[in-house]
Amino acid sequence: MELGVRRWQMRLPAVLETPGLARSGMRRWLSTLEWPEDEALDVLLAVNEAVSNAIEHAFVEADTVEQSVEVSGEVEHTAGRRRLRLQVRDNGRWLPRPSHEEYVNRRRGLPIIFAVMAEVQIHRGGQEPAPPPPEAVAFDGHSTEGTVVTLLSPPVPVSEDDRSAGRPHRRPR
């Protein structure tokens, strides 16, 4: 993990502790970017849900390949504002959708992600990414090429560091 830069990446094993580790790393990165607190909480919530989904649903059994989740992000500047493009990538094979009885009290993660992010794309292995409507998203196939969830945050104001980066530096007299 590299802090204080416009790009950030973390690769973690697919274990129960991974969402918390991803949140901690991302929280530190957002802090170095001076990301506004309320918007940072939304980003952390969305990333937590995407990572948790990968841990819970992408790994069928103890495969011989290394089971991992990668979280990455970069800052994009647009129209005097900035936003984050984040990706949560797993190398697993998503489980089939549970039966209705098992599923009745679930399905909150993706609607939460769609509610707090400006754009969400889910790319299941071997398919082109497309932003599906939240109510239509279902991981009901067996993807053997992993899944990539791309999140685009709502724009926020440019930080003081970003503003001063464009100014010429003067030598002290």
Side-chain angles (χ1 to χ4, degrees), residues 77-116:
H77 290 270
T78 177
R81 296 176 68 79
R82 60 193 173 134
R83 61 186 181 183
L84 297 173
R85 180 171 301 278
L86 308 162
Q87 285 195 331
V88 176
R89 177 185 306 266
D90 67 67
N91 65 348
R93 196 177 115 213
W94 280 70
L95 298 167
R97 190 174 180 177
S99 69
H100 177 70
E101 293 79 29
E102 297 170 318
Y103 211 51
V104 73
N105 290 321
R106 314 253 324 142
R107 293 191 62 150
R108 291 186 181 92
L110 287 173
I112 288 170
I113 293 170
F114 276 89
V116 298

XYZ file of all heavy atoms in Angstrom, residues 77-116:
343
model
N -9.856 13.944 -11.713
C -10.251 15.350 -11.630
C -11.162 15.669 -12.800
O -10.891 15.275 -13.933
C -9.024 16.258 -11.647
C -8.236 16.154 -10.381
N -8.470 16.966 -9.303
C -7.256 15.305 -10.017
C -7.649 16.628 -8.328
N -6.902 15.626 -8.733
N -12.257 16.354 -12.503
C -13.209 16.722 -13.543
C -13.919 18.005 -13.143
O -14.421 18.107 -12.019
C -14.226 15.585 -13.803
O -15.169 16.011 -14.764
C -14.930 15.144 -12.556
N -13.935 18.965 -14.026
C -14.676 20.222 -13.844
C -14.442 20.867 -12.476
O -15.385 21.258 -11.798
C -16.161 19.980 -14.065
N -13.176 20.964 -12.085
C -12.855 21.630 -10.829
C -13.206 20.835 -9.589
O -13.181 21.361 -8.482
N -13.550 19.600 -9.760
C -13.865 18.719 -8.628
C -13.062 17.443 -8.801
O -12.359 17.274 -9.793
C -15.363 18.446 -8.576
C -16.140 19.755 -8.309
C -17.621 19.627 -8.321
N -18.199 18.865 -7.230
C -18.400 19.293 -5.984
N -18.026 20.500 -5.634
N -18.983 18.534 -5.088
N -13.157 16.556 -7.845
C -12.456 15.271 -7.926
C -13.379 14.169 -7.463
O -14.338 14.394 -6.719
C -11.178 15.303 -7.102
C -11.430 15.589 -5.638
C -10.152 15.920 -4.908
N -10.514 16.329 -3.558
C -9.920 15.920 -2.461
N -8.888 15.109 -2.529
N -10.326 16.320 -1.288
N -13.098 12.988 -7.909
C -13.877 11.807 -7.509
C -12.945 10.611 -7.521
O -11.828 10.681 -8.033
C -15.059 11.596 -8.445
C -14.654 11.362 -9.874
C -15.854 11.310 -10.775
N -15.421 11.049 -12.147
C -16.222 10.996 -13.171
N -17.525 11.183 -12.993
N -15.783 10.748 -14.365
N -13.424 9.524 -6.941
C -12.631 8.300 -6.871
C -13.185 7.256 -7.828
O -14.400 7.078 -7.931
C -12.677 7.713 -5.456
C -12.082 8.563 -4.350
C -12.362 7.920 -2.997
C -10.593 8.749 -4.566
N -12.288 6.577 -8.506
C -12.642 5.376 -9.259
C -12.000 4.225 -8.498
O -10.778 4.146 -8.371
C -12.111 5.431 -10.688
C -12.483 4.174 -11.484
C -12.161 4.319 -12.950
N -12.851 5.433 -13.581
C -14.110 5.390 -14.030
N -14.812 4.278 -13.905
N -14.653 6.441 -14.596
N -12.841 3.367 -7.947
C -12.397 2.263 -7.099
C -12.722 0.937 -7.761
O -13.731 0.828 -8.471
C -13.099 2.335 -5.744
C -13.007 3.677 -5.025
C -14.074 3.780 -3.961
C -11.627 3.844 -4.431
N -11.906 -0.067 -7.499
C -12.211 -1.413 -7.972
C -11.990 -2.409 -6.853
O -11.019 -2.317 -6.107
C -11.339 -1.804 -9.162
C -11.739 -1.135 -10.441
C -11.120 -1.788 -11.657
O -10.038 -2.357 -11.593
N -11.804 -1.691 -12.771
N -12.921 -3.351 -6.775
C -12.775 -4.503 -5.885
C -12.788 -5.709 -6.800
O -13.762 -5.961 -7.508
C -13.911 -4.574 -4.840
C -13.781 -5.829 -3.998
C -13.896 -3.326 -3.961
N -11.672 -6.440 -6.811
C -11.491 -7.558 -7.738
C -11.220 -8.827 -6.934
O -10.404 -8.824 -6.029
C -10.301 -7.247 -8.638
C -9.903 -8.305 -9.612
C -8.622 -7.900 -10.355
N -8.730 -6.600 -10.981
C -9.103 -6.401 -12.248
N -9.407 -7.424 -13.004
N -9.167 -5.181 -12.731
N -11.938 -9.886 -7.272
C -11.647 -11.176 -6.644
C -11.201 -12.153 -7.717
O -11.436 -11.942 -8.900
C -12.860 -11.716 -5.864
C -14.017 -12.094 -6.759
O -13.882 -13.057 -7.540
O -15.070 -11.439 -6.674
N -10.550 -13.212 -7.309
C -10.146 -14.253 -8.240
C -10.912 -15.547 -7.974
O -10.437 -16.635 -8.222
C -8.632 -14.490 -8.189
C -8.165 -15.035 -6.857
O -8.903 -15.037 -5.875
N -6.936 -15.501 -6.802
N -12.124 -15.388 -7.464
C -12.929 -16.549 -7.102
C -13.945 -16.949 -8.146
O -13.985 -16.419 -9.254
N -14.768 -17.875 -7.752
C -15.847 -18.389 -8.587
C -17.125 -18.212 -7.793
O -17.327 -18.876 -6.775
C -15.588 -19.871 -8.871
C -16.397 -20.399 -9.994
C -16.045 -21.837 -10.263
N -17.248 -22.588 -9.948
C -17.274 -23.788 -9.450
N -16.155 -24.407 -9.180
N -18.403 -24.383 -9.219
N -17.978 -17.308 -8.214
C -19.155 -16.966 -7.432
C -20.095 -18.138 -7.276
O -20.347 -18.896 -8.221
C -19.882 -15.778 -8.069
C -19.192 -14.507 -7.700
C -17.966 -14.095 -8.133
C -19.640 -13.523 -6.793
N -17.635 -12.896 -7.555
C -18.648 -12.520 -6.734
C -20.796 -13.366 -6.032
C -18.772 -11.391 -5.937
C -20.918 -12.238 -5.247
C -19.907 -11.270 -5.201
N -20.627 -18.279 -6.073
C -21.584 -19.336 -5.765
C -22.914 -19.074 -6.458
O -23.253 -17.933 -6.737
C -21.831 -19.380 -4.250
C -20.628 -19.703 -3.376
C -20.941 -19.404 -1.928
C -20.249 -21.149 -3.555
N -23.689 -20.125 -6.705
C -25.025 -19.890 -7.246
C -25.881 -19.140 -6.234
O -25.628 -19.184 -5.033
C -25.590 -21.293 -7.483
C -24.618 -22.245 -6.922
C -23.388 -21.520 -6.489
N -26.871 -18.459 -6.731
C -27.778 -17.685 -5.879
C -28.491 -18.629 -4.907
O -28.986 -19.678 -5.311
C -28.789 -16.990 -6.778
C -29.625 -16.000 -6.090
C -30.458 -15.316 -7.147
N -31.306 -14.335 -6.520
C -32.093 -13.538 -7.166
N -32.151 -13.576 -8.467
N -32.833 -12.676 -6.539
N -28.561 -18.265 -3.629
C -29.231 -19.124 -2.646
C -30.732 -19.246 -2.935
O -31.307 -18.436 -3.652
C -29.018 -18.412 -1.313
C -28.066 -17.318 -1.572
C -28.013 -17.070 -3.036
N -31.329 -20.259 -2.329
C -32.773 -20.423 -2.481
C -33.497 -19.253 -1.828
O -32.925 -18.512 -1.037
C -33.224 -21.728 -1.824
O -33.096 -21.615 -0.417
N -34.770 -19.095 -2.143
C -35.550 -17.978 -1.622
C -35.531 -17.946 -0.091
O -35.385 -16.900 0.519
C -36.988 -18.043 -2.132
C -37.849 -16.953 -1.559
N -37.680 -15.626 -1.917
C -38.843 -16.974 -0.632
C -38.542 -14.890 -1.235
N -39.255 -15.671 -0.469
N -35.660 -19.095 0.535
C -35.685 -19.142 2.005
C -34.373 -18.644 2.607
O -34.359 -17.954 3.603
C -35.954 -20.570 2.511
C -37.337 -21.085 2.193
C -37.467 -21.564 0.738
O -36.462 -22.016 0.149
O -38.572 -21.463 0.187
N -33.261 -19.003 1.975
C -31.958 -18.570 2.474
C -31.706 -17.097 2.170
O -30.915 -16.440 2.826
C -30.838 -19.383 1.816
C -30.891 -20.852 2.132
C -29.904 -21.623 1.268
O -29.796 -21.336 0.070
O -29.259 -22.530 1.821
N -32.394 -16.572 1.169
C -32.112 -15.260 0.628
C -33.046 -14.161 1.120
O -32.793 -12.996 0.917
C -32.233 -15.380 -0.897
C -31.338 -14.470 -1.676
C -29.976 -14.395 -1.414
C -31.861 -13.692 -2.694
C -29.159 -13.573 -2.145
C -31.045 -12.863 -3.440
C -29.691 -12.814 -3.160
O -28.884 -12.002 -3.891
N -34.123 -14.538 1.787
C -35.183 -13.597 2.113
C -34.707 -12.402 2.953
O -35.178 -11.296 2.777
C -36.392 -14.321 2.751
C -36.091 -14.756 4.175
C -37.623 -13.460 2.687
N -33.764 -12.601 3.843
C -33.285 -11.513 4.700
C -31.939 -10.978 4.244
O -31.200 -10.397 5.018
C -33.184 -11.995 6.153
C -34.546 -12.223 6.754
O -35.465 -11.447 6.499
N -34.696 -13.277 7.509
N -31.604 -11.149 2.999
C -30.315 -10.723 2.464
C -30.534 -9.652 1.399
O -31.567 -9.021 1.370
C -29.598 -11.938 1.884
C -29.647 -13.143 2.802
C -28.428 -13.554 3.519
N -27.224 -13.395 2.803
C -26.126 -12.992 3.399
N -26.117 -12.740 4.661
N -25.013 -12.857 2.735
N -29.579 -9.463 0.549
C -29.659 -8.537 -0.587
C -29.703 -7.075 -0.163
O -30.415 -6.286 -0.753
C -30.845 -8.862 -1.485
C -30.709 -10.175 -2.191
C -31.742 -10.330 -3.224
N -31.560 -9.255 -4.214
C -31.857 -9.360 -5.480
N -32.363 -10.458 -5.929
N -31.671 -8.356 -6.305
N -28.946 -6.724 0.825
C -28.892 -5.317 1.214
C -27.605 -4.647 0.747
O -27.568 -3.443 0.594
C -29.029 -5.188 2.730
C -30.421 -5.549 3.195
C -30.588 -5.289 4.679
N -31.907 -5.649 5.097
C -32.254 -6.833 5.561
N -31.362 -7.793 5.649
N -33.485 -7.075 5.929
N -26.563 -5.443 0.539
C -25.259 -4.877 0.195
C -25.245 -4.095 -1.102
O -24.794 -2.954 -1.149
N -25.736 -4.693 -2.178
C -25.719 -3.990 -3.459
C -26.607 -2.755 -3.477
O -26.176 -1.706 -3.983
C -26.078 -4.942 -4.601
C -24.972 -5.941 -4.954
C -25.461 -6.947 -5.977
C -23.733 -5.229 -5.449
N -27.821 -2.796 -2.933
C -28.594 -1.552 -2.883
C -27.886 -0.447 -2.090
O -27.975 0.732 -2.463
C -29.914 -1.969 -2.214
C -30.057 -3.407 -2.574
C -28.648 -3.951 -2.543
N -27.174 -0.807 -1.043
C -26.406 0.187 -0.286
C -25.315 0.786 -1.174
O -25.132 1.998 -1.230
C -25.790 -0.438 0.989
C -26.883 -0.722 2.020
C -24.701 0.465 1.579
C -26.428 -1.540 3.200
N -24.589 -0.068 -1.885
C -23.525 0.406 -2.767
C -24.089 1.361 -3.817
O -23.549 2.433 -4.058
C -22.790 -0.779 -3.427
C -22.011 -1.579 -2.375
C -21.856 -0.290 -4.524
C -21.443 -2.893 -2.879
N -25.200 0.966 -4.457
C -25.814 1.812 -5.481
C -26.304 3.134 -4.888
O -26.278 4.163 -5.562
C -26.967 1.088 -6.166
C -26.520 0.183 -7.288
C -26.174 -1.134 -7.038
C -26.450 0.655 -8.586
C -25.772 -1.962 -8.067
C -26.046 -0.168 -9.626
C -25.699 -1.492 -9.367
N -26.724 3.125 -3.634
C -27.252 4.344 -3.009
C -26.162 5.371 -2.718
O -26.411 6.574 -2.789
C -27.996 3.999 -1.720
N -24.955 4.920 -2.396
C -23.920 5.861 -1.963
C -22.889 6.189 -3.047
O -22.110 7.127 -2.880
C -23.200 5.395 -0.673
C -24.182 5.298 0.481
C -22.466 4.086 -0.890
